[in-house]
């Protein structure tokens, strides 16, 4: 938990987020479910951890210095996290982001004066201007720039190995049976998995992947499917990426947009926790597991961000109807 000390700057307040027992949504289950609430971070998501850690690590390794330009592609949360770290630590920032990103996130990024390069979300992954390909190209032609590459640089996983994992272990006093989380870059789940499994190899780790992303099929069938569009932000990918270490995962579940968004709204209704769409996906995974094992177990999940990033989308009936996700 946050301490009572005075922090030197806003970036220092990153991490040490609360772990909350879920009481109503779990009614009738033999397992207990605990959620790590990452919207307590300064820019409002789990990504604050990696923005701080990856910038500090690149500085220590002499790869960057204040005044340089950081370039990254982000579904929004890493962009917001970097906006804060770069502002406080003196870096310029260029963000490649899909035009389908929630309007609420785009508004916050604009309020923070972030240099946004919007990409057409319908471009095929192999297009040179697609979300994944454009950022390294921009970095290559920007003087004194550094492409952070959260999808492939395992400093991302290390941030969670050093902070999120140990926090969960301490908060649960070492009594954990399962960790269930969404897989985006894979940094959170793989960094936490590595730490927890080193402490107790019996802990099982389960990922949740949106239908349309490539991770689920690759894990279960060893083949990469042709990706298709989905609406859950922050999870899944159209490529296999370097930060997803499948060897650390015991299972991957697949979820649809509709199920994830219904669960997101249920978290608000039943637990009074205003969390985002990927939190709905993660909790759906934890509940599916609890139903399947049907025995007392301690399951930890993680809520990456807050509902206020999705007020115009997931929490807006007209948007859900327009997308065919609500009758
Ligand atoms: C809303 C949201 N949920 C989940 C994740 C996934 O976290 P990770 O990239 O560590 O797998 C992200 C990552 O961008 C995110 O923005």
């Amino acid at each position: 938990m946050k301490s009572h000390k005075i922090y030197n700057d806003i970036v220092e307040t990153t991490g040490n987020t609360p772990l909350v027992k879920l009481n109503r949504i779990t009614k009738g289950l033999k397992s207990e479910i605990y959620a790590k609430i990452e919207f307590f971070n300064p820019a409002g998501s789990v990504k604050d951890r990696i923005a701080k850690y990856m910038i500090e690590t690149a500085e220590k390794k002499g790869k960057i210095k204040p005044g340089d330009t950081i370039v990254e592609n982000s579904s929004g949360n890493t962009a917001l996290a970097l906006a804060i770290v770069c502002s406080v630590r003196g870096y310029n920032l260029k963000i490649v982001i899909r035009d389908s990103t929630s309007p609420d996130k785009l508004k916050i990024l604009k309020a923070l004066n972030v240099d946004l390069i919007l990409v057409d979300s319908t471009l095929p992954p192999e297009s040179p201007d697609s979300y994944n390909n454009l950022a390294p190209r921009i970095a290559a032609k920007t003087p004194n720039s550094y492409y952070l590459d959260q999808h492939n640089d395992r400093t991302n996983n290390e941030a969670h190995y050093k902070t999120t994992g140990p926090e969960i272990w301490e908060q649960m006093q070492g009594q954990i049976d399962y960790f269930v989380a969404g897989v985006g870059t894979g940094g959170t789940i793989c960094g936490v998995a590595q730490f927890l499994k080193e402490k107790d190899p019996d802990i099982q780790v389960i990922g949740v992947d949106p239908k349309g992303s490539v991770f689920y099929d690759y894990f279960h069938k060893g083949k990469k499917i042709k990706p298709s569009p989905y609406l859950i932000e922050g999870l899944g990918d159209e490529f296999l990426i370097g930060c997803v270490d499948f060897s650390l995962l015991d299972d991957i579940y697949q979820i649809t947009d509709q199920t994830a968004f219904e669960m997101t709204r249920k978290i608000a209704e039943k637990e009074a926790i205003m969390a985002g769409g990927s939190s709905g996906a993660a909790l759906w995974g934890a509940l599916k597991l609890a139903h399947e094992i049907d025995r007392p177990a301690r399951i930890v999940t993680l809520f990456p961000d807050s509902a206020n990033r999705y007020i115009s989308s997931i929490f807006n009936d007209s948007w859900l109807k327009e997308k065919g996700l609500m009758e």
Side-chain angles (χ1 to χ4, degrees):
M1 292 295 298
K2 305 293 177 200
S3 80
H4 296 294
K5 72 173 188 179
I6 293 176
Y7 294 89
N8 290 313
D9 61 43
I10 191 72
V11 176
E12 262 195 11
T13 69
T14 302
N16 293 314
T17 54
L19 189 69
V20 175
K21 183 165 185 265
L22 304 184
N23 299 303
R24 285 174 284 272
I25 215 160
T26 48
K27 227 180 169 100
L29 292 171
K30 292 181 184 140
S31 297
E32 292 170 356
I33 301 181
Y34 301 83
K36 186 124 172 99
I37 314 289
E38 289 296 301
F39 58 68
F40 276 77
N41 281 306
S45 88
V46 68
K47 291 296 179 174
D48 291 10
R49 296 176 184 270
I50 70 154
K52 177 174 187 283
Y53 187 81
M54 290 182 87
I55 294 288
E56 285 175 355
T57 304
E59 267 177 354
K60 274 185 205 144
K61 290 182 179 167
K63 293 180 177 174
I64 54 170
K65 56 182 183 328
D68 289 352
T69 300
I70 307 299
V71 181
E72 184 58 306
N73 44 330
S74 160
S75 68
N77 282 332
T78 300
L80 284 161
L82 283 170
I84 286 193
V85 177
C86 289
S87 166
V88 170
R89 304 279 160 92
Y91 291 90
N92 303 308
L93 177 63
K94 280 184 195 289
I95 290 292
V96 171
I97 190 161
R98 290 190 178 98
D99 57 5
S100 57
T101 305
S102 88
D104 307 294
K105 276 191 203 150
L106 292 175
K107 277 184 200 155
I108 309 171
L109 284 164
K110 282 177 189 153
L112 282 164
N113 278 327
V114 176
D115 185 358
L116 294 178
I117 299 120
L118 284 176
V119 295
D120 179 349
S121 59
T122 62
L123 285 176
E126 59 279 8
S127 161
D129 292 328
S130 75
Y131 170 76
N132 280 295
N133 291 334
L134 188 60
R137 284 178 51 226
I138 289 175
K141 64 178 187 201
T142 306
N144 302 318
S145 70
Y146 181 70
Y147 177 40
L148 208 63
D149 200 7
Q150 60 167 335
H151 297 86
N152 296 294
D153 185 328
R154 293 235 179 146
T155 316
N156 172 358
N157 305 29
E158 218 174 275
H160 296 286
Y161 178 81
K162 294 214 169 152
T163 69
T164 326
E167 285 172 30
I168 291 172
W169 179 255
E170 248 179 61
Q171 285 167 309
M172 295 294 291
Q173 297 176 342
Q175 302 297 306
I176 308 168
D177 297 296
Y178 296 93
F179 178 63
V180 182
V183 189
T185 62
T188 305
I189 194 163
C190 296
V192 170
Q194 195 185 336
F195 182 86
L196 294 182
K197 283 172 182 274
E198 277 175 18
K199 287 284 181 192
D200 176 356
D202 289 339
I203 296 175
Q204 301 239 318
V205 176
I206 298 167
V208 181
D209 188 40
K211 193 167 193 298
S213 158
V214 300
F215 301 145
Y216 174 84
D217 282 86
Y218 188 78
F219 179 84
H220 289 284
K221 299 174 197 157
K223 63 171 197 221
K224 185 186 166 297
I225 55 151
K226 190 174 178 313
S228 56
Y230 54 86
L231 294 165
I232 304 170
E233 291 182 30
L235 297 189
D237 210 317
E238 49 202 17
F239 292 111
L240 294 166
I241 49 176
C243 290
V244 180
D245 181 348
F246 290 96
S247 71
L248 289 165
L249 306 183
D250 297 284
D251 203 350
I252 296 189
Y253 297 158
Q254 187 177 58
I255 190 167
T256 62
D257 289 329
Q258 186 162 351
T259 304
F261 298 163
E262 281 170 6
M263 186 58 74
T264 307
R265 290 177 67 145
K266 218 163 159 186
I267 298 172
E269 188 192 313
K270 298 266 185 200
E271 299 290 340
I273 299 174
M274 296 301 289
S278 64
S279 309
L283 181 59
W284 170 83
L287 289 168
K288 174 177 156 66
L289 170 72
H291 279 288
E292 280 173 11
I293 58 174
D294 195 29
R295 64 174 169 79
R298 283 158 64 93
I299 302 171
V300 178
T301 188
L302 181 141
F303 291 173
D305 70 355
S306 93
N308 65 20
R309 303 220 155 140
Y310 310 94
I311 295 300
S312 313
S313 52
I314 301 169
F315 289 86
N316 172 3
D317 290 358
S318 314
W319 182 87
L320 287 176
K321 284 177 192 157
E322 187 192 304
K323 301 290 177 194
L325 301 174
M326 191 184 236
E327 311 267 286

